[in-house]
Amino acid sequence: MPPRTAVAHRAAAAPTVLEPFRLADGRGEPRWPTRVEVAWDEERLAVVFVCTDDDAWGTFTERDAPLWQQEVVELFLAPGAETPPDYFEFEISPAGVLFDARVRNPHGDRIGMTVDSSWNCPGLEWRAAPTGERADWRAELAIPWKGLGLPAPPPALRANFYRIERPRGGPPEFSCWSPTLTSPADFHRPARFGVLDLIR
């Protein structure tokens, strides 16, 4: 199963809706679906997660708390089409709390990996809110290219989109756009990031 690919349209066009998430190990569809929409312009990348849920929860309140220990959506992102040793990590909880960091993963398998959570993406905008359906929720990110140190949109991005669903009293579910093919789930697998081609 190769990493997924998609064409991401400019914001003036309809956003790109990515293929449905699969379980992180690639062996099936998640019980809790997640839809991701992507658009971009000359200033920023816009990402929307829409999460089906019956009990969205999160107790962390501080930026850069360990959100992955609860329910969360995540985006790992790097410019270019090659497998990146360095990438950016963004997470949002149902409570609207943000985690952002720069990651160095030189071997692509956590060996020697470092995470700089003291980094705050300049100009980043984010929010999370209920959708009004059951306990479904959505999270939104607007990531300035300059905040990533880029003067302009790159032709392509390596990216992956993730969700951790933790039902109270039940086993967690780990799903993603481009399956990492790992069990137990490990999202820090940059060779499994998908490719987003930014079409002008």
Side-chain angles (χ1 to χ4, degrees):
M1 178 185 298
R4 282 179 158 173
T5 62
V7 172
H9 297 285
R10 288 178 59 90
T16 298
V17 178
L18 299 184
E19 293 177 86
F21 277 27
R22 293 184 61 82
L23 294 175
D25 62 11
R27 294 180 181 172
E29 304 295 329
R31 178 182 178 190
W32 304 102
T34 306
R35 187 177 82 245
V36 170
E37 301 173 2
V38 179
W40 63 277
D41 60 23
E42 295 302 315
E43 302 298 325
R44 62 187 57 81
L45 175 72
V47 177
V48 176
F49 293 82
V50 181
C51 303
T52 300
D53 210 328
D54 66 356
D55 182 24
W57 66 278
T59 62
F60 292 116
T61 59
E62 298 295 324
R63 184 169 183 166
D64 295 332
L67 304 183
W68 58 90
Q69 295 178 2
Q70 299 184 352
E71 295 197 335
V72 73
V73 291
E74 306 183 11
L75 163 62
F76 292 5
L77 182 68
E82 302 302 316
T83 300
D86 302 283
Y87 48 92
F88 301 95
E89 177 175 354
F90 300 92
E91 304 184 12
I92 304 178
S93 76
V97 180
L98 176 77
F99 176 94
D100 54 349
R102 290 183 295 201
V103 180
R104 173 74 175 162
N105 192 356
H107 306 289
D109 57 5
R110 291 183 179 264
I111 296 174
M113 187 176 83
T114 57
V115 178
D116 178 11
S117 61
S118 68
W119 176 77
N120 291 334
C121 180
L124 176 68
E125 297 178 13
W126 73 95
R127 66 185 294 267
T131 67
E133 298 289 332
R134 300 182 303 276
D136 295 0
W137 61 286
R138 62 188 281 133
E140 303 174 11
L141 287 161
I143 306 169
W145 302 118
K146 289 182 179 179
L148 304 180
L150 301 172
L157 296 165
R158 289 301 295 268
N160 212 349
F161 305 83
Y162 310 98
R163 179 175 174 192
I164 301 175
E165 171 64 23
R166 295 188 187 274
R168 301 178 203 253
E173 181 179 80
F174 300 87
S175 60
C176 45
W177 172 55
S178 184
T180 55
L181 308 182
T182 54
S183 183
D186 182 0
F187 292 164
H188 286 276
R189 297 288 176 164
R192 297 295 308 167
F193 290 6
V195 178
L196 294 177
D197 290 314
L198 305 189
I199 300 301
R200 286 165 169 78

